[in-house]
Amino acid sequence: METDTEGSDAEGSDTKGSKKPSGDRAGLLAAGVALAVCGGLVLYGVLDPGEDESKPADRTPTAAVTYEVTGEGTADIAYQARSASGEAVVVKAATLPWRKTVDVPLGQEPTVSIILGEKGGQARCTLAINGKHVQSATATGTFGRATCTGALPERANATEG
């Protein structure tokens, strides 16, 4: 009978031995899956940073501003567009007539400036906010200058237009 007991102990230890490695394998498999999921999330964040950057910008209230410069020939045009720093965009020797509609963050003052070249001439800048005319000015002569500025509406008005 001892032989049977030893045999059943041996079978029992073989059974326990075969279950233990499969338990270890299941743990390793679960750890591997968890690691792959974490790695995938990290990789998604690394490969897709543009959407995270655009979401806060989308929350910034803006107003649609249309800048227009009429006349003949060319002019240097500087205007404010959507920029956290508030720096102007400059278009050198733009062919007239010229028109641009951009979103400007509330709290910034929309501005368009024109400078005529050495040939002079005449050009007129106009500024409209949410489709409503705000200001116009005329530049004449050699290196003539004109600037149009406006005040952006309150937050409630910006979302209506």
CSV table of all heavy atoms in Angstrom, one decimal, residues 18-28:
chain,number,residue,atom,x,y,z
A,18,SER,N,2.0,20.7,-12.1
A,18,SER,CA,1.5,21.2,-13.4
A,18,SER,C,0.6,22.3,-13.3
A,18,SER,O,0.5,23.2,-14.1
A,18,SER,CB,0.9,20.0,-14.2
A,18,SER,OG,-0.3,19.6,-13.5
A,19,LYS,N,-0.1,22.4,-12.1
A,19,LYS,CA,-1.0,23.6,-11.9
A,19,LYS,C,-0.2,24.8,-11.5
A,19,LYS,O,-0.6,25.9,-11.9
A,19,LYS,CB,-2.0,23.3,-10.8
A,19,LYS,CG,-3.1,22.3,-11.2
A,19,LYS,CD,-4.1,22.1,-10.1
A,19,LYS,CE,-5.2,21.2,-10.6
A,19,LYS,NZ,-6.2,21.0,-9.5
A,20,LYS,N,0.8,24.7,-10.8
A,20,LYS,CA,1.6,25.8,-10.3
A,20,LYS,C,2.2,26.6,-11.5
A,20,LYS,O,2.1,27.8,-11.6
A,20,LYS,CB,2.7,25.4,-9.3
A,20,LYS,CG,3.4,26.5,-8.7
A,20,LYS,CD,4.3,26.1,-7.6
A,20,LYS,CE,5.0,27.3,-7.0
A,20,LYS,NZ,5.9,26.9,-6.0
A,21,PRO,N,2.9,25.9,-12.5
A,21,PRO,CA,3.4,26.6,-13.6
A,21,PRO,C,2.3,27.3,-14.4
A,21,PRO,O,2.5,28.4,-14.9
A,21,PRO,CB,4.1,25.6,-14.4
A,21,PRO,CG,4.5,24.5,-13.4
A,21,PRO,CD,3.4,24.5,-12.4
A,22,SER,N,1.1,26.6,-14.6
A,22,SER,CA,0.1,27.3,-15.3
A,22,SER,C,-0.5,28.5,-14.6
A,22,SER,O,-0.8,29.5,-15.2
A,22,SER,CB,-1.1,26.3,-15.7
A,22,SER,OG,-1.8,26.0,-14.5
A,23,GLY,N,-0.4,28.5,-13.3
A,23,GLY,CA,-0.8,29.6,-12.5
A,23,GLY,C,0.2,30.7,-12.7
A,23,GLY,O,-0.2,31.9,-12.8
A,24,ASP,N,1.5,30.4,-12.7
A,24,ASP,CA,2.5,31.4,-13.0
A,24,ASP,C,2.4,32.0,-14.4
A,24,ASP,O,2.5,33.1,-14.6
A,24,ASP,CB,3.9,30.8,-12.8
A,24,ASP,CG,4.3,30.5,-11.3
A,24,ASP,OD1,3.6,31.1,-10.5
A,24,ASP,OD2,5.2,29.8,-11.1
A,25,ARG,N,2.0,31.1,-15.3
A,25,ARG,CA,1.8,31.5,-16.7
A,25,ARG,C,0.7,32.5,-16.8
A,25,ARG,O,0.7,33.5,-17.5
A,25,ARG,CB,1.6,30.4,-17.6
A,25,ARG,CG,2.9,29.6,-17.8
A,25,ARG,CD,2.7,28.5,-18.8
A,25,ARG,NE,3.8,27.6,-18.8
A,25,ARG,CZ,3.7,26.2,-18.8
A,25,ARG,NH1,2.6,25.7,-18.8
A,25,ARG,NH2,4.8,25.5,-18.7
A,26,ALA,N,-0.4,32.2,-16.1
A,26,ALA,CA,-1.6,33.1,-16.1
A,26,ALA,C,-1.2,34.4,-15.5
A,26,ALA,O,-1.7,35.5,-16.0
A,26,ALA,CB,-2.7,32.4,-15.3
A,27,GLY,N,-0.5,34.4,-14.4
A,27,GLY,CA,0.0,35.7,-13.8
A,27,GLY,C,0.9,36.5,-14.8
A,27,GLY,O,0.7,37.7,-14.9
A,28,LEU,N,1.8,35.8,-15.4
A,28,LEU,CA,2.7,36.4,-16.4
A,28,LEU,C,1.9,37.0,-17.6
A,28,LEU,O,2.1,38.1,-18.1
A,28,LEU,CB,3.7,35.5,-16.9
A,28,LEU,CG,4.9,35.2,-15.9
A,28,LEU,CD1,5.8,34.1,-16.4
A,28,LEU,CD2,5.6,36.4,-15.5
